[in-house]
């Protein structure tokens, strides 16, 4: 039965019909599902799961930037069900292939230090540091490091760089970022250290120092609000701190505990700069997830490492940066900083020699920024010189570092479902770890980022021929 109301609406509906049809015609067609992008990588040797024995001739099947399958032997696309015969084939049959490397401790905004670094800190602006960080990120990726944990910058530069790289706007490693590192007033990350009192208000604008439990909780929440991935703090003095307060504990137990508890409340891990044994213990008792440097590790600290399962990140490469700068300019460091550097050069590696036989979990980290960006792989040689094997050093830079960064389901090994991050070198890194200083091929998320062998062009030509 037709009501008077429906009869009244009918003329309006008919009047609107042409307009509705026009809108429908102008609307974009439903998006077509893109065909999968298949890539076949043939490896001469494959260290797909560091910590396990390497495989011989192997083939990786990649789909849309992730690993679909791993096969023994060299096979082509036709060996895989449903894979197009036009899949790109990358020939690394005369190379050793392993996962993209991970550096758990970098500072991408600069690799200046000492007097030069202090001057740069007040003469260069945010834009300068942004461009510098982008260049350093590219150097790091070219060195074979497809993921890094950036442990501190002052202006949000690396937070923005993290997002730009993730969006494909710039080349660079995947970044896990800490934003501003947190310390107590006069602690290692207090930006006013070494500057005249009247300059402090202009310099101390980031709110990253804290004193007391509530203030330290606030400092963590400020970083969380900025979108950081991890919290970085200092419980001891630092080698480069421009203050004669030593390298011992500089944060109380309740302050460290407040920081760690607050960070964990927001599901953020905590990385702790600590040199002195007392400051290491404070951090581990509070529940820290990693200790950076750990120079004066003692037996009590080792027991705490084993009890808590925290990672130790040795950052041995700092000594390379110190030595190179002093060779270039004997006055690069002055006063208290110079004496601490000389001490650090002499003691570096001793703590790692204690930690390795004790079964402490080790993750690879260089402190690049103190050492030079793009030279990250120098750390491997130092790790082996101080008690690790090439196999365990590589495991520290892949499987272990991925676990520490909370990315074990994404990177660190070459297994189905994980991101297609891989590198290739000419020799066997399990026999000679220094071959990792000469990475010839880098792929991140299935995209070729470095190819000194010209393999991508050859692969494209082969795909066209088929």
């Amino acid at each position: 039965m037709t009501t008077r109301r429906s009869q009244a609406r009918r003329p309006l509906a008919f009047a609107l019909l042409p307009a509705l049809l026009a809108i429908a015609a102008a609307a974009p067609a439903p998006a077509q599902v893109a065909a999968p992008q298949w890539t076949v990588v043939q490896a001469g040797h494959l260290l797909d799961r560091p910590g396990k024995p390497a495989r011989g001739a192997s083939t990786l099947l990649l789909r849309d930037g992730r690993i679909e399958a791993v096969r023994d032997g060299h096979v082509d696309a036709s060996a895989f069900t449903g894979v197009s015969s036009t899949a790109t084939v990358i020939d690394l049959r005369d190379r050793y292939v392993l996962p993209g490397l991970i550096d758990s401790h970098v500072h991408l905004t600069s690799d200046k230090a000492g007097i030069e670094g202090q001057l740069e800190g007040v003469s260069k602006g945010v834009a300068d540091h942004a461009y510098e960080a982008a260049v350093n990120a590219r150097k790091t990726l070219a060195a074979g490091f497809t993921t890094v944990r950036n442990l501190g910058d002052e202006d949000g530069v690396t937070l923005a760089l993290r997002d730009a790289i993730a969006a494909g706007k710039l080349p660079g490693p995947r970044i896990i970022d800490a934003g501003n590192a947190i310390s107590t007033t006069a602690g290692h990350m207090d930006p006013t250290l070494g500057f005249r009192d009247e300059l402090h208000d202009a310099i101390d604008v980031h709110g990253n120092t804290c004193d007391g439990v509530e203030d330290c909780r606030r400092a963590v929440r400020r970083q969380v609000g900025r979108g950081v991935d991890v919290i970085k703090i200092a419980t001891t003095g630092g080698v480069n701190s421009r203050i004669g307060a030593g390298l011992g504990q500089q944060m109380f137990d309740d302050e460290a505990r407040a920081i760690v508890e607050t960070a964990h409340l927001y599901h953020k891990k905590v990385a702790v700069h600590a040199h002195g044994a007392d400051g290491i213990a404070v951090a581990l008792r509070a529940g820290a997830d990693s200790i950076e440097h750990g120079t004066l590790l003692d037996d009590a600290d080792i027991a705490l490492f084993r009890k808590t399962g925290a990672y130790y990140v040795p950052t041995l490469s700092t000594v390379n940066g110190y030595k190179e700068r002093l060779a270039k300019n004997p006055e690069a460091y002055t006063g208290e900083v110079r004496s601490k550097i000389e001490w650090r050069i002499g003691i570096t590696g001793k703590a790692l020699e204690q930690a390795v036989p004790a079964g402490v979990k080790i993750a690879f980290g260089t402190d690049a920024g103190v050492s030079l960006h793009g030279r990250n792989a120098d750390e491997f040689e130092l790790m082996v010189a101080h008690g690790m094997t090439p196999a365990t050093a590589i495991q520290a830079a892949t499987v272990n570092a991925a676990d520490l960064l909370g990315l074990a389901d994404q990177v660190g090994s070459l297994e189905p479902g994980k991101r297609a991050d891989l590198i290739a070198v000419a020799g066997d890194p399990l026999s000679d770890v220094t071959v990792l200083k000469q990475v010839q091929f880098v792929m991140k998320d299935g995209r070729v980022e470095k190819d000194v062998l010209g393999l991508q062009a050859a692969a494209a030509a082969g795909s066209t021929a088929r």
Side-chain angles (χ1 to χ4, degrees):
M1 176 182 238
T2 303
T3 66
R4 289 181 181 178
R5 183 174 295 174
S6 64
Q7 288 175 334
R9 284 202 301 263
R10 184 175 296 167
L12 178 61
F14 278 110
L16 291 176
L17 184 59
L20 294 171
L21 290 172
I23 292 171
Q32 299 295 314
V33 177
Q37 297 296 310
W38 297 100
T39 303
V40 174
V41 179
Q42 298 172 335
H45 291 84
L46 180 66
L47 185 61
D48 56 334
R49 295 180 296 165
K52 306 288 185 181
R55 303 163 71 134
S58 303
T59 301
L60 294 157
L61 176 66
L62 314 180
R63 174 178 176 170
D64 298 334
R66 288 188 179 267
I67 299 166
E68 186 80 6
V70 183
R71 293 270 188 92
D72 290 328
H74 294 144
V75 298
D76 58 25
S78 63
F80 298 98
T81 303
V83 177
S84 170
S85 60
T86 60
T88 300
V89 178
I90 295 178
D91 183 358
L92 293 169
R93 289 178 294 178
D94 61 348
R95 293 293 184 271
Y96 205 110
V97 175
L98 61 157
L101 302 171
I102 303 170
D103 192 331
S104 301
H105 191 134
V106 301
H107 300 278
L108 289 171
T109 51
S110 178
D111 52 20
K112 304 296 190 297
I115 298 300
E116 183 184 22
Q118 186 177 17
L119 178 61
E120 183 182 81
V122 294
S123 63
K124 295 290 182 71
V126 177
D128 297 298
H129 291 300
Y131 282 111
E132 184 78 9
V135 170
N136 290 332
R138 190 161 192 165
K139 289 179 183 178
T140 303
L141 182 61
F145 288 80
T146 53
T147 303
V148 299
R149 186 176 59 161
N150 192 82
L151 290 182
D153 81 75
E154 296 179 348
D155 298 297
V157 164
T158 50
L159 285 168
L161 180 62
R162 173 198 67 185
D163 295 343
I165 291 171
K169 297 176 181 178
L170 290 172
R174 187 176 299 103
I175 297 175
I176 301 298
D177 199 81
N180 293 121
I182 297 168
S183 76
T184 54
T185 300
H188 178 51
M189 259 78 74
D190 184 336
T192 66
L193 296 181
F195 292 98
R196 302 197 315 266
D197 288 352
E198 60 267 31
L199 299 176
H200 287 190
D201 288 343
I203 294 171
D204 189 12
V205 296
H206 299 292
N208 66 306
T209 56
C210 66
D211 301 289
V213 169
E214 294 307 317
D215 198 28
C216 286
R217 292 193 190 281
R218 173 206 56 79
V220 174
R221 288 189 168 106
R222 175 164 182 162
Q223 297 310 311
V224 171
R226 298 176 71 214
V228 303
D229 306 298
V230 61
I231 297 296
K232 162 79 177 298
I233 71 171
T235 57
T236 76
V239 172
N240 290 292
S241 297
R242 293 179 291 272
I243 185 173
L247 293 162
Q249 180 179 345
Q250 293 182 359
M251 182 177 285
F252 288 112
D253 286 72
D254 60 350
E255 293 171 321
R257 188 166 55 252
I259 288 173
V260 174
E261 287 176 351
T262 307
H264 286 175
L265 179 69
Y266 288 95
H267 308 292
K268 308 297 181 185
K269 292 189 176 185
V270 180
V272 181
H273 160 105
H275 286 288
D278 49 2
I280 296 170
V282 165
L284 291 173
R285 286 195 301 265
D289 299 282
S290 70
I291 299 295
E292 318 295 309
H293 318 308
T295 313
L296 290 169
L297 191 68
D298 65 13
D299 290 342
D301 292 330
I302 288 174
L304 283 169
F305 267 112
R306 297 181 64 176
K307 178 182 178 180
T308 64
Y311 275 94
Y312 173 40
V313 184
T315 66
L316 308 180
S317 291
T318 54
V319 297
N320 291 342
Y322 297 144
K323 290 177 180 178
E324 289 168 9
R325 289 190 189 91
L326 287 170
K328 183 178 178 181
N329 175 16
E331 302 302 320
Y333 302 95
T334 59
E336 181 68 21
V337 173
R338 175 63 182 267
S339 63
K340 287 186 289 184
I341 283 172
E342 291 173 349
W343 165 83
R344 178 76 158 103
I345 290 172
I347 200 171
T348 291
K350 302 297 183 184
L352 183 60
E353 292 170 11
Q354 296 173 262
V356 169
V360 173
K361 295 193 298 186
I362 311 295
F364 183 103
T366 61
D367 209 359
V370 178
S371 55
L372 296 177
H373 294 289
R375 297 265 301 276
N376 310 63
D378 290 353
E379 182 83 11
F380 286 111
E381 190 172 11
L382 293 169
M383 294 173 88
V384 171
H386 291 285
M388 300 187 77
T389 66
T392 56
I394 293 169
Q395 184 177 354
T398 51
V399 175
N400 289 7
D403 182 49
L404 170 59
L405 272 57
L407 297 174
D409 61 336
Q410 300 288 316
V411 297
S413 62
L414 299 173
E415 300 177 82
K418 292 196 175 184
R419 295 182 180 274
D421 289 8
L422 59 89
I423 64 172
V425 292
D428 178 2
L430 296 175
S431 299
D432 178 9
V433 77
T434 64
V435 302
L436 294 173
K437 296 181 182 183
Q438 301 293 330
V439 173
Q440 299 165 319
F441 182 89
V442 179
M443 174 182 281
K444 174 174 167 262
D445 283 328
R447 177 186 174 91
V448 176
E449 300 285 359
K450 180 180 181 180
D451 180 14
V452 301
L453 304 171
L455 298 174
Q456 188 175 31
S463 177
T464 301
R466 285 193 293 270

